[in-house]
Amino acid sequence: MSTDYRPMWIELGLDLEAHDALLGVLGSLYEQTFMKQHNRPAGMKYFDFVMSEVHGLRIQELVDARKQGRKVVGAFCAFVPEEIVLALDGVMVGLCAGAEFATAEAEKFLPRNTCALIKGFFGFALARVCPYLAASDVVVGENTCDGKKKSYEIFKDLVPRLYVMDLPHTKSAEGRSLLRAEFRRFAAALEDLTGKRLTPDVLRRGIAAVNAKRSAMHRLARLRAADPAPVSGLDALLMNQVYFYDDPARFTASVNAICDELEQRADRGDGVAPKTTPRIVVSGCPMAVPNWKLPAIVERTGAVIVGEESCIGERGTQFLTADTGRTVDELMDAIVDRYFKIDCAIFTPNPSRVEHVMRMVKDLDAHGVIHYGLQFCSPYQIEAGPVEKRLEQEGIPTLRIDTDYGQEDVGQLQTRVEAFVERLRG
Ligand code: BJ8
């Protein structure tokens, strides 16, 4: 970062000392994890730049947008409909929580056996180190797992404005009605906040912008089927992470540019690892910035990740929203239809998730699956058993990993991943 952003951070109320410490750790972790990779596509320079300015230029853009009267919506979950935010001229940003920070402080509010992601967003808020949180006019929490649902009851006192969205837990007609009612309530609240009204035209524009972003990600996902893999799993995860906070049009153009490059790589048989490299799909809990721990271990071990069945990955991006409705009601229904298909483990039962994993293994020519669960995440850790059983029955080798954001278990994970990769090599 060449510009001095300190005045902006002070104005946002950040604790500069703690924030400097966070940026220092983030910078060296990024350097070690990403910059030493072999044969990276040139297009990753854009994402390196985004990461180098993650608390700088992008925050400046959010501050400038607010000065122009636009509202910034911070979100934790793939269920928050960005189409509606964009239609009302808002800006949506993902609130990452992919690192441990001020854990001792967070544990004054939360039991120790709370997942790292929830402790992460508490820690970031309590330590005043997240400029995305500070720049948000409203933070949207969602009643998904018990941990999030109950923690928002406390979190509401830590942020200026928390909006809680209820979510269904079954894919029933009643579940769909609940989602429909909640998306309407959310749209009405955002209309109040922004002073703008939904019309078919603005909704179609919001849908088009998000569909374009998702289509670019679909293109990236398809290109990862090439053998040798044209891009590493780490770099693809990074693009999936940046998806949540970059400007949508600029992000779409940058992913499409890298896809042009990956297409050429695939045509000439150029890749990031030799053709014989074991190919892995990772499935499970979302990996928010800067949670690169498991993918770094996997790729250091000599395997390549070719897909993520995750909300920061294909679970989050896999469906487009139909844009053919003529009225606000019809377009809102199309948005509900699209989000209702997300197969998060909070749904019971949730059979489409394992079907999706199997489709990914086939389409991406993968040799095995690593199921990634965050410790104390009941939905994904419990679903891991049946998912593993079904995959193994289908002849897909599967490794179950439960971990957190700490570094203490890296050696043990490395050993388990090495043994799994050996199994894949046959
Ligand atoms: S749609 S996956 S983003 S809820 S890891 S906090 S589930 S205890 S993140 Fe998620 Fe929305 Fe579902 Fe996706 Fe709870 Fe588990 Fe923690 Fe989690």
Side-chain angles (χ1 to χ4, degrees), residues 15-102:
D15 175 333
L16 283 194
E17 206 178 312
H19 184 248
D20 281 352
L22 175 70
L23 281 193
V25 174
L26 190 63
S28 53
L29 179 63
Y30 190 81
E31 181 74 28
Q32 283 164 29
T33 312
F34 287 89
M35 304 313 284
K36 296 194 178 117
Q37 293 180 94
H38 166 71
N39 200 17
R40 287 181 91 205
M44 285 312 295
K45 283 205 173 65
Y46 171 73
F47 296 92
D48 293 338
F49 173 72
V50 169
M51 285 308 292
S52 71
E53 288 287 340
V54 67
H55 282 201
L57 187 60
R58 184 61 182 140
I59 301 300
Q60 185 67 64
E61 289 176 349
L62 299 182
V63 169
D64 292 346
R66 290 175 79 183
K67 283 187 187 142
Q68 290 156 16
R70 299 176 70 193
K71 299 296 178 191
V72 176
V73 178
F76 288 114
C77 179
F79 267 98
V80 182
E82 189 175 7
E83 292 90 334
I84 299 174
V85 177
L86 295 181
L88 292 167
D89 201 27
V91 184
M92 194 165 113
V93 288
L95 299 168
C96 48
E100 285 182 322
F101 209 87

Coordinates of all heavy atoms in Angstrom, one line a residue, residues 15-102:
D15 N -8.6 0.3 15.8 CA -7.5 0.4 16.8 C -6.2 0.2 16.0 O -5.9 -0.9 15.5 CB -7.7 -0.8 17.8 CG -6.5 -0.8 18.8 OD1 -5.4 -0.4 18.4 OD2 -6.7 -1.3 19.9
L16 N -5.5 1.3 15.7 CA -4.4 1.2 14.8 C -3.3 0.3 15.1 O -2.8 -0.4 14.3 CB -3.8 2.6 14.6 CG -4.6 3.6 13.7 CD1 -3.7 4.8 13.4 CD2 -5.1 3.0 12.5
E17 N -3.0 0.2 16.4 CA -1.9 -0.7 16.8 C -2.3 -2.2 16.5 O -1.6 -2.9 15.9 CB -1.7 -0.5 18.3 CG -0.3 -0.9 18.7 CD -0.1 -0.6 20.2 OE1 -0.5 0.4 20.7 OE2 0.4 -1.6 20.8
A18 N -3.5 -2.6 16.9 CA -4.0 -3.9 16.7 C -4.1 -4.2 15.2 O -3.8 -5.3 14.7 CB -5.3 -4.2 17.4
H19 N -4.6 -3.2 14.5 CA -4.8 -3.3 13.0 C -3.4 -3.5 12.3 O -3.3 -4.3 11.4 CB -5.5 -2.1 12.5 CG -5.8 -2.1 11.0 ND1 -5.2 -1.3 10.1 CD2 -6.7 -2.9 10.4 CE1 -5.7 -1.6 8.9 NE2 -6.6 -2.6 9.0
D20 N -2.4 -2.7 12.7 CA -1.1 -2.9 12.2 C -0.6 -4.3 12.4 O 0.0 -4.9 11.5 CB -0.1 -1.9 12.8 CG -0.2 -0.5 12.3 OD1 -0.9 -0.3 11.3 OD2 0.4 0.4 12.9
A21 N -0.8 -4.8 13.6 CA -0.4 -6.2 13.9 C -1.1 -7.2 12.9 O -0.4 -8.1 12.3 CB -0.7 -6.5 15.3
L22 N -2.4 -7.0 12.7 CA -3.1 -7.9 11.8 C -2.6 -7.8 10.4 O -2.3 -8.8 9.8 CB -4.6 -7.5 11.8 CG -5.5 -8.3 10.9 CD1 -5.6 -9.8 11.3 CD2 -6.9 -7.7 10.7
L23 N -2.4 -6.6 9.9 CA -1.9 -6.4 8.5 C -0.5 -7.0 8.4 O -0.2 -7.6 7.3 CB -1.8 -5.0 8.1 CG -3.2 -4.3 7.7 CD1 -2.9 -3.0 7.1 CD2 -4.0 -5.2 6.8
G24 N 0.3 -6.9 9.4 CA 1.7 -7.5 9.3 C 1.6 -9.0 9.2 O 2.2 -9.6 8.3
V25 N 0.7 -9.7 9.9 CA 0.6 -11.1 9.9 C 0.0 -11.5 8.5 O 0.5 -12.4 7.8 CB -0.3 -11.6 11.0 CG1 -0.6 -13.1 10.9 CG2 0.3 -11.3 12.4
L26 N -1.0 -10.8 8.1 CA -1.7 -11.1 6.9 C -0.7 -11.0 5.7 O -0.7 -11.9 4.8 CB -2.9 -10.1 6.7 CG -3.8 -10.4 5.6 CD1 -4.6 -11.7 5.8 CD2 -4.9 -9.2 5.5
G27 N 0.1 -9.9 5.7 CA 1.0 -9.7 4.6 C 2.0 -10.8 4.5 O 2.3 -11.4 3.4
S28 N 2.6 -11.2 5.6 CA 3.7 -12.3 5.5 C 3.0 -13.6 5.2 O 3.6 -14.4 4.5 CB 4.6 -12.3 6.7 OG 3.8 -12.4 7.9
L29 N 1.8 -13.9 5.7 CA 1.1 -15.1 5.4 C 0.8 -15.2 3.9 O 1.0 -16.3 3.3 CB -0.2 -15.2 6.2 CG -1.0 -16.5 6.0 CD1 -0.3 -17.7 6.5 CD2 -2.3 -16.4 6.8
Y30 N 0.4 -14.1 3.4 CA 0.1 -14.1 1.9 C 1.3 -14.4 1.1 O 1.3 -15.2 0.2 CB -0.5 -12.7 1.5 CG -1.1 -12.7 0.1 CD1 -2.3 -13.3 -0.1 CD2 -0.4 -12.3 -0.9 CE1 -2.9 -13.3 -1.4 CE2 -0.9 -12.3 -2.2 CZ -2.1 -12.9 -2.4 OH -2.6 -12.9 -3.7
E31 N 2.4 -13.7 1.5 CA 3.6 -13.8 0.8 C 4.1 -15.3 0.7 O 4.4 -15.9 -0.3 CB 4.7 -12.9 1.5 CG 6.1 -12.9 0.9 CD 6.1 -12.1 -0.3 OE1 5.3 -11.2 -0.5 OE2 7.0 -12.4 -1.2
Q32 N 4.1 -15.9 1.9 CA 4.5 -17.3 2.1 C 3.6 -18.3 1.3 O 4.0 -19.2 0.7 CB 4.5 -17.8 3.5 CG 5.5 -17.3 4.4 CD 5.0 -17.6 5.9 OE1 4.2 -18.5 6.1 NE2 5.5 -16.7 6.8
T33 N 2.3 -18.0 1.4 CA 1.4 -19.0 0.8 C 1.2 -18.8 -0.7 O 1.1 -19.9 -1.4 CB 0.0 -18.7 1.5 OG1 0.1 -18.6 2.9 CG2 -1.0 -19.8 1.2
F34 N 1.2 -17.6 -1.2 CA 0.8 -17.5 -2.6 C 2.0 -17.2 -3.5 O 2.0 -17.7 -4.7 CB -0.2 -16.3 -2.7 CG -1.6 -16.8 -2.2 CD1 -1.9 -16.6 -0.9 CD2 -2.5 -17.4 -3.1 CE1 -3.2 -17.0 -0.4 CE2 -3.7 -17.8 -2.6 CZ -4.0 -17.6 -1.3
M35 N 3.0 -16.4 -3.1 CA 3.9 -15.8 -4.0 C 5.0 -16.9 -4.4 O 5.7 -16.7 -5.4 CB 4.6 -14.6 -3.4 CG 3.6 -13.5 -3.1 SD 2.3 -13.2 -4.3 CE 3.3 -12.2 -5.5
K36 N 5.1 -18.0 -3.7 CA 6.1 -19.0 -4.0 C 5.5 -20.1 -4.9 O 6.2 -21.1 -5.2 CB 6.7 -19.5 -2.7 CG 7.4 -18.5 -1.9 CD 8.4 -19.0 -0.9 CE 9.1 -17.9 -0.2 NZ 8.7 -17.8 1.2
Q37 N 4.3 -20.0 -5.3 CA 3.7 -21.0 -6.1 C 4.4 -21.1 -7.5 O 4.8 -20.1 -8.0 CB 2.2 -20.8 -6.3 CG 1.4 -20.9 -5.0 CD 0.0 -20.7 -5.3 OE1 -0.8 -21.6 -5.5 NE2 -0.4 -19.4 -5.3
H38 N 4.3 -22.3 -8.0 CA 5.0 -22.6 -9.3 C 4.0 -22.2 -10.5 O 2.8 -22.5 -10.5 CB 5.3 -24.1 -9.4 CG 5.7 -24.6 -10.7 ND1 6.8 -24.2 -11.3 CD2 5.0 -25.4 -11.6 CE1 6.9 -24.8 -12.5 NE2 5.8 -25.5 -12.7
N39 N 4.6 -21.5 -11.5 CA 3.9 -21.2 -12.7 C 2.5 -20.6 -12.6 O 1.5 -21.0 -13.1 CB 3.8 -22.5 -13.5 CG 3.5 -22.3 -15.0 OD1 3.8 -21.2 -15.5 ND2 3.1 -23.3 -15.7
R40 N 2.4 -19.6 -11.7 CA 1.1 -18.9 -11.5 C 0.7 -18.2 -12.8 O 1.5 -17.6 -13.5 CB 1.2 -17.9 -10.4 CG 1.3 -18.5 -9.0 CD 1.4 -17.4 -8.0 NE 0.1 -16.9 -7.5 CZ -0.2 -15.8 -7.0 NH1 0.8 -14.8 -7.0 NH2 -1.4 -15.5 -6.6
P41 N -0.6 -18.2 -13.1 CA -1.1 -17.4 -14.2 C -0.8 -15.9 -14.0 O -0.9 -15.4 -12.9 CB -2.6 -17.6 -14.2 CG -2.8 -18.8 -13.4 CD -1.7 -18.9 -12.4
A42 N -0.5 -15.2 -15.1 CA -0.2 -13.7 -15.0 C -1.4 -13.0 -14.4 O -1.2 -12.0 -13.7 CB 0.3 -13.2 -16.3
G43 N -2.6 -13.5 -14.7 CA -3.8 -12.8 -14.3 C -4.0 -12.7 -12.8 O -4.8 -12.0 -12.3
M44 N -3.2 -13.5 -12.1 CA -3.3 -13.5 -10.6 C -2.7 -12.2 -10.0 O -2.9 -11.9 -8.9 CB -2.6 -14.7 -10.0 CG -3.3 -16.0 -10.1 SD -5.1 -15.9 -9.6 CE -5.0 -15.5 -7.9
K45 N -2.0 -11.5 -10.9 CA -1.4 -10.2 -10.4 C -2.5 -9.3 -9.9 O -2.4 -8.5 -8.9 CB -0.7 -9.5 -11.5 CG 0.7 -10.1 -11.8 CD 1.6 -9.0 -12.4 CE 3.0 -9.6 -12.5 NZ 3.1 -10.7 -13.4
Y46 N -3.7 -9.3 -10.6 CA -4.8 -8.5 -10.2 C -5.2 -8.8 -8.7 O -5.4 -8.0 -7.9 CB -6.0 -8.6 -11.1 CG -7.2 -7.9 -10.6 CD1 -7.3 -6.5 -10.6 CD2 -8.3 -8.6 -10.0 CE1 -8.4 -5.9 -10.0 CE2 -9.3 -8.0 -9.4 CZ -9.4 -6.6 -9.4 OH -10.5 -6.0 -8.8
F47 N -5.3 -10.1 -8.5 CA -5.7 -10.6 -7.1 C -4.7 -10.3 -6.1 O -5.0 -10.0 -4.9 CB -6.2 -12.0 -7.2 CG -7.4 -12.2 -8.1 CD1 -7.2 -12.5 -9.5 CD2 -8.6 -11.9 -7.6 CE1 -8.3 -12.6 -10.3 CE2 -9.7 -12.0 -8.5 CZ -9.6 -12.3 -9.8
D48 N -3.4 -10.4 -6.5 CA -2.3 -10.0 -5.5 C -2.5 -8.5 -5.2 O -2.4 -8.1 -4.0 CB -0.9 -10.2 -6.2 CG -0.6 -11.6 -6.4 OD1 -1.2 -12.5 -5.7 OD2 0.2 -11.9 -7.2
F49 N -2.8 -7.7 -6.2 CA -3.0 -6.3 -6.0 C -4.2 -6.1 -5.0 O -4.2 -5.3 -4.1 CB -3.2 -5.6 -7.3 CG -3.6 -4.1 -7.1 CD1 -2.7 -3.2 -6.7 CD2 -4.9 -3.7 -7.4 CE1 -3.1 -1.8 -6.5 CE2 -5.3 -2.4 -7.2 CZ -4.4 -1.4 -6.7
V50 N -5.3 -6.8 -5.3 CA -6.5 -6.6 -4.4 C -6.2 -7.0 -3.0 O -6.5 -6.2 -2.1 CB -7.7 -7.6 -5.0 CG1 -8.8 -7.6 -3.9 CG2 -8.2 -7.1 -6.3
M51 N -5.4 -8.0 -2.8 CA -5.1 -8.4 -1.5 C -4.1 -7.4 -0.8 O -4.2 -7.1 0.4 CB -4.4 -9.8 -1.4 CG -5.4 -10.9 -1.6 SD -6.8 -10.9 -0.5 CE -6.0 -11.2 1.1
S52 N -3.2 -6.8 -1.6 CA -2.3 -5.8 -1.0 C -3.1 -4.6 -0.6 O -2.6 -3.8 0.2 CB -1.2 -5.5 -2.0 OG -1.7 -4.7 -3.1
E53 N -4.3 -4.4 -1.2 CA -5.0 -3.2 -0.9 C -6.3 -3.5 -0.2 O -7.3 -2.8 -0.2 CB -5.4 -2.5 -2.2 CG -4.2 -1.8 -2.9 CD -3.8 -0.5 -2.1 OE1 -4.6 0.1 -1.4 OE2 -2.7 -0.1 -2.3
V54 N -6.3 -4.7 0.5 CA -7.6 -5.2 1.0 C -8.2 -4.3 2.1 O -9.4 -4.2 2.2 CB -7.4 -6.7 1.4 CG1 -6.5 -6.9 2.6 CG2 -8.8 -7.4 1.7
H55 N -7.3 -3.7 2.8 CA -7.8 -2.7 3.9 C -7.5 -1.3 3.4 O -7.7 -0.4 4.2 CB -7.1 -3.0 5.2 CG -7.6 -4.2 5.9 ND1 -7.5 -4.4 7.3 CD2 -8.4 -5.2 5.5 CE1 -8.1 -5.5 7.6 NE2 -8.6 -6.0 6.6
G56 N -7.1 -1.1 2.2 CA -6.8 0.2 1.7 C -7.7 0.7 0.6 O -8.8 1.2 0.9
L57 N -7.4 0.4 -0.6 CA -8.2 1.0 -1.7 C -9.6 0.6 -1.7 O -10.5 1.4 -1.9 CB -7.5 0.5 -3.1 CG -8.1 1.1 -4.3 CD1 -7.9 2.7 -4.3 CD2 -7.3 0.5 -5.5
R58 N -9.9 -0.7 -1.4 CA -11.3 -1.1 -1.4 C -12.1 -0.4 -0.3 O -13.2 -0.1 -0.5 CB -11.4 -2.7 -1.3 CG -12.8 -3.2 -1.4 CD -13.4 -2.9 -2.7 NE -14.8 -3.4 -2.9 CZ -15.8 -2.7 -3.5 NH1 -15.5 -1.5 -4.0 NH2 -17.0 -3.2 -3.6
I59 N -11.5 -0.2 0.8 CA -12.2 0.5 1.9 C -12.4 1.9 1.5 O -13.5 2.5 1.7 CB -11.3 0.4 3.2 CG1 -11.1 -1.1 3.6 CG2 -12.1 1.2 4.3 CD1 -12.4 -1.9 3.8
Q60 N -11.4 2.5 0.8 CA -11.5 3.9 0.3 C -12.7 4.0 -0.6 O -13.5 4.9 -0.5 CB -10.2 4.3 -0.4 CG -10.2 5.8 -0.8 CD -10.2 6.7 0.3 OE1 -9.3 6.7 1.1 NE2 -11.3 7.5 0.5
E61 N -12.9 2.9 -1.4 CA -14.0 2.9 -2.4 C -15.4 2.8 -1.6 O -16.3 3.5 -2.0 CB -13.9 1.7 -3.3 CG -12.8 1.9 -4.4 CD -12.6 0.7 -5.3 OE1 -13.2 -0.4 -5.0 OE2 -11.9 0.8 -6.2
L62 N -15.4 2.1 -0.5 CA -16.6 2.0 0.3 C -16.9 3.3 0.9 O -18.1 3.7 1.0 CB -16.5 0.9 1.3 CG -16.2 -0.6 0.9 CD1 -16.2 -1.5 2.1 CD2 -17.3 -1.0 -0.1
V63 N -15.9 3.9 1.5 CA -16.1 5.2 2.1 C -16.6 6.2 1.1 O -17.5 7.0 1.4 CB -14.7 5.7 2.8 CG1 -14.8 7.1 3.2 CG2 -14.4 4.8 4.0
D64 N -16.0 6.2 -0.1 CA -16.4 7.2 -1.1 C -17.9 6.9 -1.6 O -18.6 7.8 -1.8 CB -15.5 7.1 -2.4 CG -14.1 7.6 -2.1 OD1 -13.9 8.3 -1.0 OD2 -13.2 7.3 -2.9
A65 N -18.2 5.6 -1.7 CA -19.6 5.2 -2.0 C -20.6 5.8 -1.0 O -21.6 6.3 -1.3 CB -19.7 3.7 -2.1
R66 N -20.2 5.7 0.3 CA -21.1 6.2 1.3 C -21.2 7.7 1.2 O -22.3 8.2 1.5 CB -20.5 5.8 2.7 CG -20.6 4.3 3.0 CD -20.0 3.9 4.3 NE -20.8 4.3 5.4 CZ -20.5 4.1 6.7 NH1 -19.3 3.6 7.0 NH2 -21.3 4.4 7.7
K67 N -20.1 8.4 0.9 CA -20.2 9.8 0.7 C -21.2 10.2 -0.4 O -21.8 11.3 -0.3 CB -18.8 10.4 0.4 CG -17.9 10.5 1.7 CD -16.6 11.2 1.4 CE -15.7 11.1 2.7 NZ -14.3 10.9 2.3
Q68 N -21.3 9.3 -1.4 CA -22.2 9.6 -2.5 C -23.6 9.2 -2.1 O -24.5 9.2 -2.9 CB -21.8 8.9 -3.7 CG -20.5 9.4 -4.4 CD -19.8 8.3 -5.2 OE1 -20.4 7.3 -5.6 NE2 -18.6 8.5 -5.5
G69 N -23.8 8.7 -0.9 CA -25.2 8.4 -0.4 C -25.5 6.9 -0.6 O -26.6 6.5 -0.3
R70 N -24.5 6.1 -1.1 CA -24.8 4.7 -1.2 C -24.7 4.0 0.2 O -23.9 4.5 1.0 CB -23.9 4.0 -2.2 CG -24.1 4.7 -3.6 CD -23.1 4.1 -4.6 NE -23.4 2.7 -4.9 CZ -22.6 1.9 -5.6 NH1 -21.4 2.3 -6.0 NH2 -22.9 0.6 -5.9
K71 N -25.3 2.9 0.4 CA -25.3 2.1 1.6 C -24.4 0.9 1.5 O -24.5 0.2 0.5 CB -26.7 1.8 2.1 CG -27.6 3.0 2.4 CD -27.0 3.9 3.5 CE -27.9 5.1 3.7 NZ -27.3 6.1 4.6
V72 N -23.6 0.6 2.5 CA -22.8 -0.6 2.5 C -23.4 -1.7 3.4 O -23.7 -1.4 4.5 CB -21.4 -0.3 2.9 CG1 -20.5 -1.5 3.0 CG2 -20.7 0.8 2.0
V73 N -23.6 -2.8 2.8 CA -24.2 -4.0 3.5 C -23.2 -5.0 3.8 O -22.6 -5.6 2.8 CB -25.4 -4.5 2.7 CG1 -26.0 -5.7 3.4 CG2 -26.5 -3.5 2.4
G74 N -22.9 -5.3 5.0 CA -21.9 -6.4 5.4 C -22.7 -7.7 5.6 O -23.7 -7.7 6.2
A75 N -22.2 -8.8 5.1 CA -22.9 -10.0 5.2 C -22.0 -11.2 5.5 O -20.8 -11.2 5.1 CB -23.6 -10.3 3.8
F76 N -22.5 -12.2 6.2 CA -21.7 -13.3 6.6 C -22.1 -14.6 5.9 O -21.4 -15.6 6.0 CB -22.0 -13.7 8.1 CG -21.3 -12.7 9.1 CD1 -22.1 -11.9 9.9 CD2 -20.0 -12.5 9.2 CE1 -21.6 -11.0 10.7 CE2 -19.4 -11.6 10.0 CZ -20.2 -10.8 10.8
C77 N -23.1 -14.6 5.1 CA -23.7 -15.8 4.6 C -24.0 -15.7 3.1 O -24.5 -14.7 2.6 CB -24.9 -16.2 5.4 SG -25.8 -17.7 5.0
A78 N -23.9 -16.9 2.5 CA -24.2 -17.0 1.0 C -25.7 -16.8 0.8 O -26.2 -16.7 -0.4 CB -23.8 -18.3 0.5
F79 N -26.5 -16.8 1.8 CA -28.0 -16.6 1.6 C -28.4 -15.1 1.5 O -29.6 -14.8 1.2 CB -28.8 -17.2 2.8 CG -29.2 -18.6 2.5 CD1 -28.4 -19.7 3.0 CD2 -30.3 -18.9 1.7 CE1 -28.8 -21.0 2.7 CE2 -30.6 -20.2 1.4 CZ -29.9 -21.2 1.9
V80 N -27.5 -14.2 1.7 CA -27.9 -12.8 1.6 C -27.9 -12.4 0.2 O -26.9 -12.5 -0.5 CB -26.9 -11.9 2.4 CG1 -27.4 -10.4 2.4 CG2 -26.8 -12.4 3.9
P81 N -29.1 -12.0 -0.4 CA -29.3 -11.8 -1.8 C -28.6 -10.5 -2.3 O -29.2 -9.4 -2.2 CB -30.8 -11.8 -2.0 CG -31.4 -11.5 -0.7 CD -30.4 -11.8 0.4
E82 N -27.5 -10.6 -2.9 CA -26.8 -9.4 -3.4 C -27.6 -8.7 -4.5 O -27.4 -7.5 -4.6 CB -25.4 -9.8 -3.9 CG -24.5 -8.6 -4.2 CD -23.1 -9.0 -4.6 OE1 -22.8 -10.2 -4.8 OE2 -22.3 -8.0 -4.8
E83 N -28.4 -9.5 -5.2 CA -29.2 -8.8 -6.3 C -30.0 -7.7 -5.8 O -30.1 -6.6 -6.4 CB -30.1 -9.9 -6.9 CG -29.5 -11.0 -7.7 CD -29.1 -12.2 -6.8 OE1 -28.9 -12.1 -5.6 OE2 -29.1 -13.3 -7.4
I84 N -30.6 -7.9 -4.6 CA -31.5 -6.9 -4.0 C -30.6 -5.7 -3.5 O -31.0 -4.5 -3.7 CB -32.3 -7.5 -2.9 CG1 -33.2 -8.6 -3.4 CG2 -33.2 -6.4 -2.2 CD1 -34.0 -9.4 -2.3
V85 N -29.5 -6.0 -3.0 CA -28.6 -4.9 -2.5 C -28.2 -4.0 -3.7 O -28.3 -2.8 -3.6 CB -27.4 -5.5 -1.8 CG1 -26.4 -4.3 -1.3 CG2 -27.8 -6.3 -0.6
L86 N -27.8 -4.6 -4.7 CA -27.3 -3.9 -5.9 C -28.4 -3.1 -6.6 O -28.3 -2.0 -7.0 CB -26.6 -4.8 -6.9 CG -25.3 -5.5 -6.5 CD1 -24.7 -6.3 -7.6 CD2 -24.3 -4.5 -6.0
A87 N -29.6 -3.8 -6.6 CA -30.8 -3.1 -7.2 C -31.1 -1.8 -6.5 O -31.6 -0.8 -7.1 CB -32.0 -4.0 -7.2
L88 N -30.8 -1.7 -5.2 CA -31.1 -0.5 -4.4 C -29.9 0.4 -4.3 O -29.7 1.2 -3.4 CB -31.7 -0.9 -3.1 CG -33.1 -1.5 -3.2 CD1 -33.5 -2.2 -1.8 CD2 -34.1 -0.5 -3.6
D89 N -28.9 0.1 -5.3 CA -27.7 1.0 -5.4 C -26.8 0.8 -4.1 O -26.0 1.7 -3.8 CB -28.1 2.4 -5.6 CG -26.9 3.2 -6.2 OD1 -26.1 2.6 -6.9 OD2 -26.8 4.4 -6.0
G90 N -27.0 -0.3 -3.4 CA -26.1 -0.6 -2.3 C -24.8 -1.3 -2.7 O -24.6 -1.6 -3.9
V91 N -23.9 -1.5 -1.8 CA -22.7 -2.2 -2.0 C -22.7 -3.4 -1.0 O -22.9 -3.1 0.2 CB -21.4 -1.4 -1.8 CG1 -20.1 -2.1 -2.1 CG2 -21.5 -0.1 -2.6
M92 N -22.5 -4.6 -1.5 CA -22.4 -5.7 -0.5 C -21.0 -6.2 -0.3 O -20.3 -6.3 -1.3 CB -23.3 -6.8 -0.9 CG -23.6 -7.8 0.2 SD -24.9 -8.9 -0.1 CE -24.1 -10.4 -0.3
V93 N -20.6 -6.4 0.9 CA -19.3 -6.9 1.2 C -19.4 -8.1 2.1 O -20.2 -8.1 3.1 CB -18.3 -5.9 1.8 CG1 -17.9 -4.9 0.7 CG2 -18.9 -5.2 3.0
G94 N -18.5 -9.1 1.9 CA -18.5 -10.3 2.8 C -17.6 -9.9 4.0 O -16.6 -9.2 3.9
L95 N -18.1 -10.3 5.1 CA -17.3 -10.1 6.4 C -16.6 -11.4 6.6 O -17.2 -12.4 6.9 CB -18.2 -9.7 7.5 CG -19.0 -8.4 7.2 CD1 -20.1 -8.1 8.2 CD2 -18.0 -7.2 7.2
C96 N -15.2 -11.4 6.5 CA -14.5 -12.6 6.3 C -14.4 -13.5 7.6 O -14.9 -14.7 7.5 CB -13.2 -12.4 5.7 SG -12.2 -11.1 6.5
A97 N -13.8 -13.1 8.6 CA -13.7 -13.9 9.9 C -13.0 -15.2 9.6 O -13.4 -16.3 10.2 CB -15.1 -14.2 10.5
G98 N -11.9 -15.2 8.8 CA -11.2 -16.4 8.5 C -9.9 -16.5 9.4 O -9.0 -17.3 9.0
A99 N -9.8 -15.7 10.4 CA -8.6 -15.8 11.3 C -8.9 -15.6 12.7 O -10.0 -15.1 13.1 CB -7.6 -14.6 10.9
E100 N -8.0 -16.1 13.5 CA -8.2 -16.0 15.0 C -7.7 -14.6 15.3 O -6.6 -14.1 14.9 CB -7.2 -16.9 15.7 CG -7.5 -18.3 15.8 CD -6.5 -19.1 16.6 OE1 -5.3 -18.8 16.5 OE2 -6.9 -20.0 17.3
F101 N -8.5 -13.8 16.1 CA -8.0 -12.5 16.6 C -8.8 -12.2 17.8 O -10.0 -12.4 17.9 CB -8.3 -11.4 15.5 CG -7.3 -10.3 15.6 CD1 -6.0 -10.4 15.0 CD2 -7.5 -9.2 16.4 CE1 -5.1 -9.4 15.1 CE2 -6.6 -8.2 16.6 CZ -5.4 -8.3 15.9
A102 N -8.1 -11.8 18.8 CA -8.7 -11.4 20.1 C -9.6 -12.6 20.6 O -10.7 -12.3 21.1 CB -9.5 -10.1 20.0

